[in-house]
Amino acid sequence: MEENTRRMLNGQPYRPDSPELNTFHEVAHRLCQDYNQLRDTDTTQRNQIIDQLMPNHGKQPYLQGPIQFDYGRFTTVGDHFYANFNLTVLDTCPITIGDNVMLGPNVSLITATHPLRWQQRNPRQQSDGTFTDLELGKPINIGNNCWFGSNVTICPGVTIGDGCVIGAGAVVTHDMPANSLVVGVPARAVRQITENDHLDSYPY
């Protein structure tokens, strides 16, 4: 692994145009495009692509598609992962997801970020003569048994505890404790999920 890639994964400033990273994201983008052209019933081909795109996965992942990953190889998911339409994953830093996590439509998991000051953010000439910017990221961690509603965005550096429910449209900018109901922009934990939320009419 190139030093530049190690810097990226460690959350340090890095060049997004390095040869290794260019290769990684070109492969990932091609695999996403191939996946998005398949039908739901093309199970074998879809599973083969997921194995290549996101090799660090548990049992029976299901991604409805379309999907878009920056790299894929830097995302780890547990058993029985489910993602509805239009999953976007910018995994410039590691994304770690537990077991039995369900994502609604249009969920975005974003580890990538940029300096706030334009003096550091804008592209500039590098030591090799090329013009490019320096970027950085922060990892995302999502616990077991979480459910994200539609149009949820998880921002860089966020940890979501086990058993959380993230309401539709939430933009999560900071860590959330386990078993929280989370809503809003910016998102906040409004209460704990308890036995009082049990549906009596449900079969178990």
Side-chain angles (χ1 to χ4, degrees):
M1 183 180 292
E2 291 180 353
E3 175 61 24
N4 186 66
T5 304
R6 284 193 287 269
R7 290 181 61 84
M8 181 187 79
L9 294 173
N10 289 330
Q12 299 171 296
Y14 73 96
R15 287 184 57 163
D17 64 340
S18 72
E20 184 172 60
L21 291 181
N22 278 336
T23 297
F24 285 168
H25 75 66
E26 286 171 7
V27 170
H29 294 179
R30 175 180 55 78
L31 289 170
C32 289
Q33 185 176 34
D34 291 346
Y35 190 89
N36 295 339
Q37 298 304 310
L38 294 169
R39 296 170 296 181
D40 294 358
T41 52
D42 294 329
T43 305
T44 299
Q45 298 98 310
R46 281 163 62 105
N47 288 342
Q48 289 172 346
I49 290 174
I50 291 300
D51 288 344
Q52 296 175 66
L53 173 66
M54 195 173 58
N56 303 310
H57 68 75
K59 301 174 184 175
Q60 297 180 315
Y62 184 85
L63 287 72
Q64 176 64 54
I67 58 174
Q68 187 61 55
F69 282 74
D70 234 1
Y71 298 105
R73 67 185 64 219
F74 304 130
T75 296
T76 299
V77 303
D79 295 341
H80 310 296
F81 174 75
Y82 172 82
N84 212 313
F85 299 104
N86 297 317
L87 173 66
T88 298
V89 179
L90 302 190
D91 52 348
T92 57
C93 271
I95 295 176
T96 305
I97 300 173
D99 297 335
N100 303 306
V101 171
M102 301 170 57
L103 307 182
N106 304 308
V107 166
S108 297
L109 308 177
I110 311 296
T111 69
T113 185
H114 301 271
L116 294 180
R117 300 189 72 240
W118 64 264
Q119 293 91 340
Q120 294 181 304
R121 185 173 60 247
N122 288 356
R124 66 188 64 82
Q125 191 168 23
Q126 304 297 326
S127 58
D128 62 1
T130 61
F131 279 84
T132 186
D133 63 333
L134 293 179
E135 300 179 6
L136 69 160
K138 298 178 182 179
I140 289 173
N141 292 282
I142 299 167
N144 300 315
N145 304 310
C146 293
W147 169 34
F148 295 5
S150 60
N151 298 293
V152 165
T153 298
I154 307 298
C155 293
V158 166
T159 293
I160 305 293
D162 293 345
C164 282
V165 174
I166 314 296
V171 178
V172 186
T173 60
H174 61 274
D175 295 353
M176 294 297 162
N179 301 308
S180 294
L181 177 61
V182 177
V183 299
V185 180
R188 68 193 190 284
V190 293
R191 66 175 177 88
Q192 286 282 284
I193 299 168
T194 71
E195 292 182 4
N196 292 330
D197 294 299
H198 184 80
L199 299 177
D200 292 336
S201 61
Y202 213 64
Y204 57 87

